[in-house]
Structures are given as C-alpha cells and as structure tokens.
Amino acid sequence: MPTPTKSASDIICTIRESGHRVTNGKRAVAEVLISSTSHLSVDEVVQAVRAIEPEINQSTIYRILEEFEELGLVVHSHLGASAAVYHLAGQNHAHLVCDNCGLTQEIPATTFDVMEVQLREKFGFNLDRHHVALSGLCATCRENQEK
Amino acid sequence: MPTPTKSASDIICTIRESGHRVTNGKRAVAEVLISSTSHLSVDEVVQAVRAIEPEINQSTIYRILEEFEELGLVVHSHLGASAAVYHLAGQNHAHLVCDNCGLTQEIPATTFDVMEVQLREKFGFNLDRHHVALSGLCATCRENQEK
DNA sequence: CTAAGTGCAAATAATTTGCAACATG
DNA sequence: CATGTTGCAAATTATTTGCACTTAG
C-alpha cells in the first residue's frame, strides 16, 4: 500500500498537532518540498524558500528541516556528495548513485521488499527503505570504463 | 571467489607500478589499514599513523587516502556520521547502520548477490558491493521504539 | 503572556588548497 | 635532478549554537 502524497495542509496539521508552532518559514519550506520532484540540498531549499519568504535565514531552514525530520515529514540522505539532500517522507523510492559521474537514479522502494525481509530475519535489522542509497557505476560510466 | 587479503607489500607494489612514489607516510597508512579490522575515520588513521610516523600531517593523510582510493586500494563510506570512514577494498562486506544509536554491523556482501543482478538487469546499474551502507533501526532500538 | 521560533554572528567540524621546502626514483 | 610529496597555514564548505529579540497560540 503506497503512502498517499502529502499536501501542505497535512504538513501544517502535523506540526500543530505535535505542539509546535506554525510559522511563515515552515509553511514556505512545506510548499517547497511538496512542489519539488527531486532532492534538495539545504542550500537549494534556502533559495526556493526565499522566493516565497525573502527574509528567512539559513539556520532557520536547518532548524525547520530538523523539526520536520523529527516529525517524520521529511528524510535526508547523503548521496555521496558533501551536502545532505532532503525530500518528503513517504515517497517510496531509493537511490542509485554513480560513483563516477554522480548521476542519481530513483528506483521504487519495492525493489527492496525481499532484502528488507532478509535483513530483518538474518540480522534483526529494520531497513528504512526511504533512506536507501547505493553506490556503484551507472550504465554509461561502466561502458566507458570497459573501453 | 573471495578477494585475497592484501599485504602491505602488495599495496606498496601497486603504488610503485602506478608511477607514484613510495614514502614513509604511505607505508604507515598501508600498515594501519591492514592491521585494522574495522573502519577508520581520517582522524583515527591520523592517530594510528602517528604511532609509526609521528611527524605526519593530517592533510598528507587525506592526500594519501585519496591516492589509495584512486588506485582501488581502499574505499570509503559515509556511515551516517559526519566523518567518512575508510577501509581496505576487497573485504567483502556491507554495512547496516542504525539511525538511532549509530551501531554499525558488518554483513557479508554476498547478501547483495541477488540484488546486484536485479539492479543491473532492471536499471543498468553496477552495484559496488564494497560500498553498501543501509540505514534503518537495529533490533534493540526497534524494540525500544515499539515500547 | 510565555514558550517556541528566528536572525545574526560566531563557533565547529571536515576537508581542500596554495605554495615553498623536501625527498624519491 | 625533475617531479611527486609533504608541512603548514589559510581557505572552503556544511552545519551548529548562543543569545537577544520576535511572534504564535
């Protein structure tokens, strides 16, 4: 059963219910995350948010993203690059990152269904399928490497 | 077919063959990596190397590790923590990192045999099994979370 | 009102780089 | 002796934090 796509008001609601306060900054971050199809670095979130709320500070964005993550609204990954990237939770996908060119493909998290069960049974480990990032070589770089 | 364990002289040999020069620093880093069973952060490598070569500089270690990685001698991963960790290549294992407590378990890379084939066939992606790090919850943290 | 949230600037942490001095092949 | 390597200090990049001021509930 796929997680239903969240709307901005769902996010606002979750914030309020958790006892946190709703601010313009949080509304803007929510909108940015919802309208983005890809993964955003903190810096990209900052740029996008400033189009809505020009006066917002970078450290505020860090704090908002941290709060959203604690509330389970967003997840972040380290896709090999230096800076972390954020996106909404509940989007069922995992990442394949090319070591060579940095290309990131998204693949359905269902790819890991079997592995998830296997890891739990064998190692007692509960895989977070929203947070999977695998390294390797994309098709193009592999071909070039084989010369 | 498991990759045979490298010795310090294998590493030295590879360096020389690649046209790079062999220095005391590189010898020391090679020894440290070989005698370590676990993953070392750059800082840990620096500490360990200084036991052999007290005068070595941190940025030199960064440069040596970078060179070793280009030569395919070592690999590094980002295990969720801030600093990257390094270990010898060819040790067939992957990592399971607990999001909550940071515990890192090593599991045999053969766990990914099926997945490797699947990723190549479906997405043209060539998984690097030495570089796999999966996030989730370890058994203990999972239990505690279920209350 | 009052605790949560924010801006700002300074502090950390991890890593990289420019350059002059040095050492390997 | 030519070029790869190193030490050092300064620069970068990503992220965090202390604190006074502001604002949502």
Side-chain angles (χ1 to χ4, degrees):
Chain A
M1 60 197 92
T3 311
T5 307
K6 282 196 181 63
S7 73
S9 52
D10 291 334
I11 293 181
I12 301 304
C13 215
T14 306
I15 296 171
R16 225 184 290 273
E17 281 168 8
S18 74
H20 287 111
R21 293 179 185 173
V22 176
T23 64
N24 291 338
K26 293 183 191 178
R27 267 187 281 262
V29 171
E31 280 183 42
V32 164
L33 291 175
I34 281 173
S35 51
S36 164
T37 55
S38 67
H39 311 83
L40 302 172
S41 68
V42 174
D43 207 57
E44 288 167 331
V45 174
V46 170
Q47 300 311 316
V49 165
R50 281 193 178 146
I52 309 175
E53 282 287 316
E55 297 293 282
I56 200 138
N57 192 278
Q58 201 180 42
S59 55
T60 302
I61 304 283
Y62 270 101
R63 286 187 274 227
I64 290 174
L65 288 171
E66 191 184 18
E67 180 186 316
F68 282 14
E69 192 150 28
E70 276 169 16
L71 295 177
L73 295 170
V74 312
V75 293
H76 83 275
S77 328
H78 292 273
L79 299 181
S82 35
V85 291
Y86 289 77
H87 62 77
L88 285 185
Q91 298 175 336
N92 274 323
H93 64 232
H95 309 122
L96 302 180
V97 187
C98 180
D99 274 340
N100 189 246
C101 68
L103 174 76
T104 301
Q105 317 180 45
E106 293 183 21
I107 62 171
T110 49
T111 312
F112 296 94
D113 284 348
V114 175
M115 174 120 303
E116 196 179 0
V117 173
Q118 198 185 355
L119 292 177
R120 181 156 33 238
E121 286 176 355
K122 280 198 186 167
F123 309 104
F125 187 79
N126 301 277
L127 179 66
D128 174 6
R129 299 189 311 172
H130 304 315
H131 206 150
V132 173
L134 296 173
S135 301
L137 288 179
C138 69
T140 313
C141 289
R142 176 54 165 258
E143 278 170 32
N144 294 341
Q145 217 171 59
E146 282 171 353
K147 274 191 285 300
Chain B
M1 57 200 93
T3 312
T5 306
K6 282 195 180 63
S7 74
S9 51
D10 291 333
I11 293 181
I12 300 306
C13 215
T14 306
I15 296 171
R16 225 183 292 274
E17 281 170 7
S18 73
H20 287 112
R21 290 179 184 172
V22 176
T23 64
N24 292 338
K26 294 182 191 179
R27 267 187 281 263
V29 171
E31 280 184 42
V32 165
L33 291 175
I34 281 173
S35 51
S36 163
T37 54
S38 66
H39 311 82
L40 302 173
S41 66
V42 173
D43 206 59
E44 288 167 332
V45 174
V46 170
Q47 300 311 316
V49 164
R50 282 194 178 146
I52 308 172
E53 281 286 317
E55 298 292 284
I56 200 137
N57 191 278
Q58 204 180 39
S59 56
T60 302
I61 304 285
Y62 271 100
R63 286 188 272 226
I64 291 175
L65 288 172
E66 190 185 16
E67 179 185 319
F68 282 14
E69 192 150 27
E70 275 169 17
L71 295 177
L73 294 169
V74 312
V75 292
H76 83 276
S77 328
H78 291 274
L79 299 183
S82 35
V85 290
Y86 288 77
H87 62 77
L88 284 184
Q91 298 174 336
N92 275 325
H93 66 232
H95 309 120
L96 301 180
V97 187
C98 179
D99 274 339
N100 190 245
C101 68
L103 175 76
T104 301
Q105 315 180 46
E106 292 183 21
I107 62 171
T110 49
T111 313
F112 296 95
D113 283 349
V114 174
M115 174 120 304
E116 196 179 1
V117 174
Q118 199 184 353
L119 291 178
R120 181 155 34 239
E121 287 177 356
K122 281 196 187 170
F123 309 104
F125 187 79
N126 302 278
L127 181 67
D128 174 6
R129 298 191 312 171
H130 305 316
H131 205 153
V132 174
L134 294 174
S135 303
L137 289 177
C138 69
T140 312
C141 288
R142 176 54 163 259
E143 278 169 32
N144 293 342
Q145 218 172 56
E146 284 173 352
K147 274 191 285 298

mmCIF file of all heavy atoms in Angstrom, chain B residues 23-57:
data_model
loop_
_atom_site.group_PDB
_atom_site.id
_atom_site.type_symbol
_atom_site.label_atom_id
_atom_site.label_comp_id
_atom_site.label_asym_id
_atom_site.label_seq_id
_atom_site.Cartn_x
_atom_site.Cartn_y
_atom_site.Cartn_z
ATOM 1 N N THR B 23 56.503 6.423 0.003
ATOM 2 C CA THR B 23 57.055 7.232 1.096
ATOM 3 C C THR B 23 56.745 6.578 2.435
ATOM 4 O O THR B 23 55.947 5.652 2.500
ATOM 5 C CB THR B 23 56.414 8.636 1.099
ATOM 6 O OG1 THR B 23 55.017 8.491 1.370
ATOM 7 C CG2 THR B 23 56.607 9.337 -0.228
ATOM 8 N N ASN B 24 57.386 7.086 3.473
ATOM 9 C CA ASN B 24 57.121 6.551 4.813
ATOM 10 C C ASN B 24 55.658 6.720 5.195
ATOM 11 O O ASN B 24 55.067 5.833 5.808
ATOM 12 C CB ASN B 24 58.002 7.254 5.837
ATOM 13 C CG ASN B 24 59.470 6.894 5.647
ATOM 14 O OD1 ASN B 24 59.786 5.847 5.057
ATOM 15 N ND2 ASN B 24 60.352 7.759 6.123
ATOM 16 N N GLY B 25 55.116 7.847 4.840
ATOM 17 C CA GLY B 25 53.705 8.095 5.139
ATOM 18 C C GLY B 25 52.806 7.034 4.525
ATOM 19 O O GLY B 25 51.946 6.478 5.192
ATOM 20 N N LYS B 26 53.049 6.742 3.265
ATOM 21 C CA LYS B 26 52.206 5.758 2.570
ATOM 22 C C LYS B 26 52.392 4.375 3.164
ATOM 23 O O LYS B 26 51.429 3.630 3.346
ATOM 24 C CB LYS B 26 52.511 5.754 1.072
ATOM 25 C CG LYS B 26 52.128 7.050 0.392
ATOM 26 C CD LYS B 26 52.392 7.026 -1.107
ATOM 27 C CE LYS B 26 52.247 8.425 -1.675
ATOM 28 N NZ LYS B 26 52.508 8.478 -3.134
ATOM 29 N N ARG B 27 53.628 4.037 3.497
ATOM 30 C CA ARG B 27 53.880 2.744 4.137
ATOM 31 C C ARG B 27 53.092 2.643 5.443
ATOM 32 O O ARG B 27 52.456 1.628 5.721
ATOM 33 C CB ARG B 27 55.372 2.576 4.406
ATOM 34 C CG ARG B 27 56.105 1.843 3.284
ATOM 35 C CD ARG B 27 57.562 1.556 3.668
ATOM 36 N NE ARG B 27 58.399 2.752 3.498
ATOM 37 C CZ ARG B 27 59.142 2.994 2.404
ATOM 38 N NH1 ARG B 27 59.184 2.119 1.423
ATOM 39 N NH2 ARG B 27 59.849 4.093 2.314
ATOM 40 N N ALA B 28 53.140 3.723 6.231
ATOM 41 C CA ALA B 28 52.466 3.720 7.525
ATOM 42 C C ALA B 28 50.950 3.594 7.363
ATOM 43 O O ALA B 28 50.303 2.810 8.064
ATOM 44 C CB ALA B 28 52.813 4.991 8.303
ATOM 45 N N VAL B 29 50.395 4.344 6.416
ATOM 46 C CA VAL B 29 48.950 4.259 6.189
ATOM 47 C C VAL B 29 48.572 2.849 5.769
ATOM 48 O O VAL B 29 47.587 2.280 6.243
ATOM 49 C CB VAL B 29 48.483 5.288 5.128
ATOM 50 C CG1 VAL B 29 47.030 5.051 4.750
ATOM 51 C CG2 VAL B 29 48.666 6.704 5.641
ATOM 52 N N ALA B 30 49.385 2.254 4.901
ATOM 53 C CA ALA B 30 49.126 0.880 4.453
ATOM 54 C C ALA B 30 49.088 -0.076 5.640
ATOM 55 O O ALA B 30 48.173 -0.881 5.784
ATOM 56 C CB ALA B 30 50.191 0.449 3.447
ATOM 57 N N GLU B 31 50.075 0.032 6.512
ATOM 58 C CA GLU B 31 50.129 -0.847 7.690
ATOM 59 C C GLU B 31 48.922 -0.671 8.585
ATOM 60 O O GLU B 31 48.339 -1.642 9.069
ATOM 61 C CB GLU B 31 51.399 -0.566 8.502
ATOM 62 C CG GLU B 31 52.635 -1.225 7.916
ATOM 63 C CD GLU B 31 53.850 -0.986 8.812
ATOM 64 O OE1 GLU B 31 53.690 -1.092 10.045
ATOM 65 O OE2 GLU B 31 54.930 -0.672 8.270
ATOM 66 N N VAL B 32 48.576 0.584 8.809
ATOM 67 C CA VAL B 32 47.428 0.875 9.670
ATOM 68 C C VAL B 32 46.155 0.250 9.120
ATOM 69 O O VAL B 32 45.400 -0.403 9.842
ATOM 70 C CB VAL B 32 47.243 2.392 9.845
ATOM 71 C CG1 VAL B 32 45.869 2.733 10.405
ATOM 72 C CG2 VAL B 32 48.340 2.953 10.737
ATOM 73 N N LEU B 33 45.949 0.428 7.823
ATOM 74 C CA LEU B 33 44.725 -0.100 7.221
ATOM 75 C C LEU B 33 44.707 -1.616 7.273
ATOM 76 O O LEU B 33 43.675 -2.235 7.499
ATOM 77 C CB LEU B 33 44.594 0.376 5.767
ATOM 78 C CG LEU B 33 44.323 1.867 5.596
ATOM 79 C CD1 LEU B 33 44.334 2.239 4.128
ATOM 80 C CD2 LEU B 33 42.996 2.257 6.235
ATOM 81 N N ILE B 34 45.866 -2.210 7.064
ATOM 82 C CA ILE B 34 45.924 -3.664 7.060
ATOM 83 C C ILE B 34 45.698 -4.247 8.453
ATOM 84 O O ILE B 34 45.010 -5.244 8.615
ATOM 85 C CB ILE B 34 47.274 -4.142 6.482
ATOM 86 C CG1 ILE B 34 47.194 -4.051 4.969
ATOM 87 C CG2 ILE B 34 47.602 -5.554 6.923
ATOM 88 C CD1 ILE B 34 48.488 -4.314 4.276
ATOM 89 N N SER B 35 46.254 -3.587 9.450
ATOM 90 C CA SER B 35 46.112 -4.168 10.787
ATOM 91 C C SER B 35 44.794 -3.811 11.457
ATOM 92 O O SER B 35 44.455 -4.342 12.508
ATOM 93 C CB SER B 35 47.280 -3.752 11.681
ATOM 94 O OG SER B 35 47.438 -2.363 11.633
ATOM 95 N N SER B 36 44.018 -2.946 10.825
ATOM 96 C CA SER B 36 42.722 -2.605 11.418
ATOM 97 C C SER B 36 41.628 -3.538 10.922
ATOM 98 O O SER B 36 41.528 -3.817 9.730
ATOM 99 C CB SER B 36 42.342 -1.174 11.059
ATOM 100 O OG SER B 36 40.975 -0.975 11.291
ATOM 101 N N THR B 37 40.809 -4.004 11.842
ATOM 102 C CA THR B 37 39.708 -4.877 11.441
ATOM 103 C C THR B 37 38.463 -4.060 11.123
ATOM 104 O O THR B 37 37.530 -4.557 10.524
ATOM 105 C CB THR B 37 39.352 -5.851 12.572
ATOM 106 O OG1 THR B 37 39.093 -5.077 13.756
ATOM 107 C CG2 THR B 37 40.493 -6.806 12.844
ATOM 108 N N SER B 38 38.461 -2.807 11.579
ATOM 109 C CA SER B 38 37.229 -2.045 11.412
ATOM 110 C C SER B 38 37.411 -0.878 10.445
ATOM 111 O O SER B 38 38.382 -0.825 9.699
ATOM 112 C CB SER B 38 36.749 -1.524 12.749
ATOM 113 O OG SER B 38 37.685 -0.585 13.242
ATOM 114 N N HIS B 39 36.491 0.044 10.482
ATOM 115 C CA HIS B 39 36.512 1.207 9.609
ATOM 116 C C HIS B 39 37.089 2.368 10.378
ATOM 117 O O HIS B 39 36.686 2.636 11.493
ATOM 118 C CB HIS B 39 35.113 1.559 9.160
ATOM 119 C CG HIS B 39 34.386 0.369 8.648
ATOM 120 N ND1 HIS B 39 33.772 -0.520 9.472
ATOM 121 C CD2 HIS B 39 34.244 -0.096 7.407
ATOM 122 C CE1 HIS B 39 33.252 -1.487 8.753
ATOM 123 N NE2 HIS B 39 33.532 -1.259 7.496
ATOM 124 N N LEU B 40 37.982 3.072 9.769
ATOM 125 C CA LEU B 40 38.637 4.167 10.458
ATOM 126 C C LEU B 40 38.272 5.504 9.839
ATOM 127 O O LEU B 40 38.278 5.647 8.620
ATOM 128 C CB LEU B 40 40.152 3.976 10.374
ATOM 129 C CG LEU B 40 40.677 2.664 10.954
ATOM 130 C CD1 LEU B 40 42.160 2.522 10.650
ATOM 131 C CD2 LEU B 40 40.427 2.600 12.452
ATOM 132 N N SER B 41 37.971 6.457 10.694
ATOM 133 C CA SER B 41 37.790 7.817 10.205
ATOM 134 C C SER B 41 39.179 8.352 9.888
ATOM 135 O O SER B 41 40.189 7.805 10.337
ATOM 136 C CB SER B 41 37.133 8.675 11.267
ATOM 137 O OG SER B 41 37.997 8.815 12.369
ATOM 138 N N VAL B 42 39.240 9.430 9.132
ATOM 139 C CA VAL B 42 40.537 10.009 8.799
ATOM 140 C C VAL B 42 41.296 10.323 10.089
ATOM 141 O O VAL B 42 42.490 10.066 10.191
ATOM 142 C CB VAL B 42 40.372 11.286 7.954
ATOM 143 C CG1 VAL B 42 41.710 11.964 7.750
ATOM 144 C CG2 VAL B 42 39.732 10.954 6.624
ATOM 145 N N ASP B 43 40.573 10.837 11.050
ATOM 146 C CA ASP B 43 41.212 11.195 12.301
ATOM 147 C C ASP B 43 41.820 9.975 12.996
ATOM 148 O O ASP B 43 42.913 10.052 13.552
ATOM 149 C CB ASP B 43 40.192 11.865 13.219
ATOM 150 C CG ASP B 43 40.848 12.802 14.199
ATOM 151 O OD1 ASP B 43 41.520 13.737 13.730
ATOM 152 O OD2 ASP B 43 40.710 12.580 15.419
ATOM 153 N N GLU B 44 41.116 8.868 12.944
ATOM 154 C CA GLU B 44 41.644 7.643 13.551
ATOM 155 C C GLU B 44 42.873 7.145 12.799
ATOM 156 O O GLU B 44 43.828 6.661 13.399
ATOM 157 C CB GLU B 44 40.558 6.563 13.583
ATOM 158 C CG GLU B 44 39.479 6.848 14.615
ATOM 159 C CD GLU B 44 38.253 5.966 14.451
ATOM 160 O OE1 GLU B 44 37.970 5.530 13.305
ATOM 161 O OE2 GLU B 44 37.568 5.722 15.451
ATOM 162 N N VAL B 45 42.826 7.278 11.477
ATOM 163 C CA VAL B 45 44.001 6.906 10.686
ATOM 164 C C VAL B 45 45.177 7.782 11.095
ATOM 165 O O VAL B 45 46.286 7.287 11.307
ATOM 166 C CB VAL B 45 43.726 7.040 9.168
ATOM 167 C CG1 VAL B 45 45.000 6.780 8.373
ATOM 168 C CG2 VAL B 45 42.624 6.091 8.731
ATOM 169 N N VAL B 46 44.918 9.071 11.246
ATOM 170 C CA VAL B 46 45.980 10.001 11.625
ATOM 171 C C VAL B 46 46.599 9.576 12.966
ATOM 172 O O VAL B 46 47.828 9.475 13.083
ATOM 173 C CB VAL B 46 45.446 11.448 11.729
ATOM 174 C CG1 VAL B 46 46.477 12.365 12.364
ATOM 175 C CG2 VAL B 46 45.050 11.971 10.363
ATOM 176 N N GLN B 47 45.758 9.305 13.947
ATOM 177 C CA GLN B 47 46.254 8.902 15.264
ATOM 178 C C GLN B 47 47.121 7.647 15.155
ATOM 179 O O GLN B 47 48.218 7.578 15.708
ATOM 180 C CB GLN B 47 45.085 8.603 16.228
ATOM 181 C CG GLN B 47 44.152 9.772 16.488
ATOM 182 C CD GLN B 47 44.864 11.060 16.854
ATOM 183 O OE1 GLN B 47 45.795 11.045 17.654
ATOM 184 N NE2 GLN B 47 44.464 12.176 16.243
ATOM 185 N N ALA B 48 46.603 6.662 14.432
ATOM 186 C CA ALA B 48 47.301 5.383 14.313
ATOM 187 C C ALA B 48 48.617 5.538 13.561
ATOM 188 O O ALA B 48 49.636 4.950 13.933
ATOM 189 C CB ALA B 48 46.406 4.363 13.628
ATOM 190 N N VAL B 49 48.598 6.348 12.509
ATOM 191 C CA VAL B 49 49.802 6.537 11.716
ATOM 192 C C VAL B 49 50.866 7.241 12.550
ATOM 193 O O VAL B 49 52.056 6.928 12.432
ATOM 194 C CB VAL B 49 49.500 7.342 10.428
ATOM 195 C CG1 VAL B 49 50.776 7.865 9.797
ATOM 196 C CG2 VAL B 49 48.747 6.471 9.433
ATOM 197 N N ARG B 50 50.437 8.131 13.413
ATOM 198 C CA ARG B 50 51.406 8.882 14.210
ATOM 199 C C ARG B 50 52.153 8.005 15.197
ATOM 200 O O ARG B 50 53.238 8.372 15.661
ATOM 201 C CB ARG B 50 50.717 10.045 14.932
ATOM 202 C CG ARG B 50 50.482 11.194 13.983
ATOM 203 C CD ARG B 50 50.112 12.479 14.668
ATOM 204 N NE ARG B 50 49.960 13.518 13.652
ATOM 205 C CZ ARG B 50 49.084 14.514 13.704
ATOM 206 N NH1 ARG B 50 48.256 14.606 14.736
ATOM 207 N NH2 ARG B 50 49.030 15.409 12.745
ATOM 208 N N ALA B 51 51.596 6.871 15.503
ATOM 209 C CA ALA B 51 52.298 5.917 16.352
ATOM 210 C C ALA B 51 53.506 5.349 15.614
ATOM 211 O O ALA B 51 54.480 4.913 16.221
ATOM 212 C CB ALA B 51 51.353 4.797 16.777
ATOM 213 N N ILE B 52 53.435 5.363 14.285
ATOM 214 C CA ILE B 52 54.529 4.845 13.451
ATOM 215 C C ILE B 52 55.396 5.994 12.950
ATOM 216 O O ILE B 52 56.613 5.945 13.025
ATOM 217 C CB ILE B 52 53.953 4.068 12.239
ATOM 218 C CG1 ILE B 52 52.932 3.015 12.711
ATOM 219 C CG2 ILE B 52 55.080 3.410 11.464
ATOM 220 C CD1 ILE B 52 52.200 2.354 11.570
ATOM 221 N N GLU B 53 54.723 6.998 12.425
ATOM 222 C CA GLU B 53 55.394 8.171 11.864
ATOM 223 C C GLU B 53 54.880 9.423 12.567
ATOM 224 O O GLU B 53 53.916 10.043 12.112
ATOM 225 C CB GLU B 53 55.057 8.279 10.367
ATOM 226 C CG GLU B 53 55.844 7.348 9.476
ATOM 227 C CD GLU B 53 57.279 7.801 9.313
ATOM 228 O OE1 GLU B 53 57.495 9.012 9.121
ATOM 229 O OE2 GLU B 53 58.173 6.947 9.395
ATOM 230 N N PRO B 54 55.497 9.828 13.655
ATOM 231 C CA PRO B 54 54.940 10.902 14.482
ATOM 232 C C PRO B 54 54.805 12.243 13.768
ATOM 233 O O PRO B 54 53.949 13.043 14.128
ATOM 234 C CB PRO B 54 55.942 11.027 15.631
ATOM 235 C CG PRO B 54 56.707 9.746 15.619
ATOM 236 C CD PRO B 54 56.764 9.333 14.204
ATOM 237 N N GLU B 55 55.614 12.470 12.764
ATOM 238 C CA GLU B 55 55.658 13.805 12.156
ATOM 239 C C GLU B 55 54.692 14.008 11.007
ATOM 240 O O GLU B 55 54.784 14.988 10.291
ATOM 241 C CB GLU B 55 57.078 14.101 11.678
ATOM 242 C CG GLU B 55 58.122 14.138 12.756
ATOM 243 C CD GLU B 55 57.939 15.321 13.708
ATOM 244 O OE1 GLU B 55 58.281 16.438 13.317
ATOM 245 O OE2 GLU B 55 57.438 15.102 14.837
ATOM 246 N N ILE B 56 53.780 13.073 10.834
ATOM 247 C CA ILE B 56 52.951 13.189 9.629
ATOM 248 C C ILE B 56 51.773 14.130 9.811
ATOM 249 O O ILE B 56 51.174 14.184 10.871
ATOM 250 C CB ILE B 56 52.475 11.801 9.161
ATOM 251 C CG1 ILE B 56 52.054 11.866 7.703
ATOM 252 C CG2 ILE B 56 51.352 11.300 10.036
ATOM 253 C CD1 ILE B 56 52.533 10.721 6.906
ATOM 254 N N ASN B 57 51.491 14.868 8.761
ATOM 255 C CA ASN B 57 50.441 15.875 8.797
ATOM 256 C C ASN B 57 49.103 15.311 8.329
ATOM 257 O O ASN B 57 49.045 14.457 7.465
ATOM 258 C CB ASN B 57 50.851 17.056 7.914
ATOM 259 C CG ASN B 57 49.929 18.224 8.133
ATOM 260 O OD1 ASN B 57 48.848 18.291 7.580
ATOM 261 N ND2 ASN B 57 50.371 19.137 8.981
#
